Amino acid sequence: MHCGHKNGSPGCNPTPNGNSSRISNIQTKPAFALPIKRIPFSPSVLSSTSMQTYLALAIPILVTTLWLYTAHLARSTFPKLRSKRICLLIAHPDDEAMFFSPTLLELTRAEAGNHVKILCLSSGNAEGLGSTRKSELLASAKILNLRNPPSDVFVIEDANFQDGPGKWRADDIADVLSSAFSPSTSTSSSPATDKKKSNVMQSGGGNIDRNAGAPAPAPATIDVLITFDKRGVSGHPNHSSLYFGAVAWLKDMMRGKAGWECPVSLYTLTSISLMRKYLSVLDAPFTMLQCVLQSVGPGKNGGGAKGRVGKGEMGREKGTDPGRLFYMADLGAYRRGQRAMTQAHRSQMVWFRWGWISLGRYMVVNDLKRERI
């Protein structure tokens, strides 16, 4: 039947469901649709993220494990000082904590049997805080396990030793050390100076190796003196002055005493480069390896005339002290050294010292060399 409409117009050619062919070709869309962005998936993205997470967790664990193992290795492998009368010679209150805390905490261990004292040649009064800093030194010594800080810590007040950028005369330092530790050889100190410098140590004989020939050196009231090396670690002229003063004292003691061992062993803290100073515990393996290699080098020796050690600087013969000492703080000792600064030396905790006690290598590692006299 013809419906009267043009072919293809609405109403023509009905489909079985009653809709026209035009309507059947119309594609219907949902009333509401969200655009969906296709996210590309790459296994490498997931792998990179997992690796970063793994490293973030693994690195602290690895560093801590290395720290604890190296500290254990240092304590069990390297030579130690035992049953010694020891003096730490420093220039200012806080030197003992900022530079020597690993050494002090090892030497003051009960099983070592050492008696450690501190001799400080100035009160650090550059900013008018001398009285405060002396009290802080006593508090620090207590944290660092000295037996009895009021009787084991001595601070010299002398016009020759002013805290500042100037160098101190080696002869003046030698006079102090002679008055304090070998009074029988002291000839140049005045009565007023002697009054301030006497009674630092109880009397007693040094560790002397007798040999025929020249008369024996006068006995000293300490067996070991520890201080900075000639570079002073931080470059401070007061620090480096201590080295030259200590050497001058021991050379004066040994003058005309050929064939005898010096009754006092002098150990100095090794200065290193600026970059290594802030490597903290990461510098320990390198320092340990360096000590071992230097100990087996040819022609090394760790002491005076009778102190020549054929086994190298770390070796030991009867009557001599080791040529090298290596001390490394474990986590507990590291935190104790930090507390010696933050809780005791509060007046000195300016911004840059926070960086030092956090990243400074000397808060974790000390290596000391026995000087030839």
Side-chain angles (χ1 to χ4, degrees):
M1 176 185 296
H2 185 68
C3 62
H5 295 283
K6 293 183 179 180
N7 193 24
S9 61
C12 296
N13 301 324
T15 58
N17 58 3
N19 294 323
S20 68
S21 61
R22 181 177 178 86
I23 293 177
S24 65
N25 291 331
I26 297 176
Q27 296 181 356
T28 59
K29 294 183 179 181
F32 178 77
L34 287 175
I36 299 176
K37 186 177 180 180
R38 193 178 186 88
I39 300 176
F41 173 78
S42 172
S44 62
V45 174
L46 181 60
S47 176
S48 175
T49 303
S50 299
M51 182 60 69
Q52 291 174 2
T53 303
Y54 172 78
L55 290 176
L57 296 174
I59 290 177
I61 296 174
L62 180 62
V63 171
T64 302
T65 302
L66 175 66
W67 185 343
L68 295 176
Y69 175 73
T70 308
H72 169 74
L73 193 63
R75 185 168 294 162
S76 60
T77 304
F78 282 79
K80 301 176 179 61
L81 296 178
R82 294 188 178 277
S83 302
K84 300 288 186 179
R85 298 167 300 172
I86 302 171
C87 176
L88 173 64
L89 177 64
I90 58 176
H92 321 102
D94 77 11
D95 288 347
E96 82 294 340
M98 290 181 62
F99 303 104
F100 293 96
S101 59
T103 296
L104 285 176
L105 288 168
E106 187 63 32
L107 294 177
T108 55
R109 292 169 67 92
E111 58 268 29
N114 299 311
H115 190 179
V116 181
K117 299 196 176 189
I118 296 175
L119 176 59
C120 184
L121 292 195
S122 81
S123 61
N125 197 38
E127 298 178 351
L129 297 173
S131 178
T132 298
R133 298 192 68 182
K134 285 192 287 186
S135 299
E136 290 177 342
L137 177 56
L138 290 174
S140 173
K142 183 176 181 180
I143 293 173
L144 296 174
N145 292 336
L146 268 70
R147 289 185 187 177
N148 186 11
S151 63
D152 288 343
V153 176
F154 306 89
V155 180
I156 301 295
E157 293 282 7
D158 193 306
N160 293 319
F161 308 122
Q162 295 298 312
D163 179 12
K167 291 185 177 181
W168 298 339
R169 293 181 65 248
D171 289 345
D172 292 335
I173 298 172
D175 286 346
V176 173
L177 296 173
S178 182
S179 297
F181 306 126
S182 57
S184 60
T185 63
S186 177
T187 58
S188 58
S189 297
S190 66
T193 302
D194 287 342
K195 183 178 180 180
K196 290 184 290 184
K197 302 170 186 174
S198 62
N199 299 323
V200 174
M201 288 281 179
Q202 298 176 355
S203 61
N207 182 18
I208 302 174
D209 188 10
R210 180 174 296 278
N211 192 19
T221 59
I222 59 172
D223 304 310
V224 175
L225 180 66
I226 297 174
T227 192
F228 296 96
D229 68 2
K230 64 178 67 177
R231 293 167 57 192
V233 176
S234 66
H236 198 302
N238 295 168
H239 293 175
S240 57
S241 297
L242 300 182
Y243 166 84
F244 293 104
V247 170
W249 170 52
L250 295 179
K251 283 185 175 180
D252 184 63
M253 181 187 298
M254 295 303 296
R255 187 173 291 114
K257 305 296 189 293
W260 289 83
E261 184 183 2
C262 183
V264 178
S265 296
L266 173 62
Y267 286 94
T268 57
L269 184 65
T270 305
S271 296
I272 57 174
S273 66
L274 179 63
M275 182 186 73
R276 287 181 59 195
K277 284 181 185 178
Y278 290 93
L279 286 180
S280 187
V281 68
L282 298 179
D283 187 66
F286 178 78
T287 302
M288 182 180 291
L289 178 62
Q290 189 177 42
C291 288
V292 171
L293 292 178
Q294 290 176 351
S295 73
V296 298
K300 301 290 184 180
N301 92 69
K306 291 293 290 182
R308 294 190 178 276
V309 183
K311 296 179 182 179
E313 290 191 9
M314 282 175 56
R316 182 197 298 269
E317 288 183 351
K318 185 177 180 180
T320 67
D321 291 323
R324 284 274 176 179
L325 297 172
F326 178 82
Y327 298 123
M328 181 173 177
D330 57 20
L331 290 171
Y334 171 65
R335 289 292 299 127
R336 185 175 286 272
Q338 287 183 321
R339 288 201 304 273
M341 284 300 298
T342 59
Q343 296 180 12
H345 292 290
R346 297 187 180 212
S347 69
Q348 301 305 297
M349 287 308 298
V350 292
W351 67 269
F352 58 87
R353 288 199 172 94
W354 286 100
W356 179 268
I357 68 171
S358 299
L359 300 175
R361 172 259 200 190
Y362 289 95
M363 298 295 296
V364 183
V365 177
N366 283 174
D367 62 307
L368 300 102
K369 177 185 177 183
R370 187 180 179 190
E371 300 291 342
R372 298 175 59 180
I373 302 299

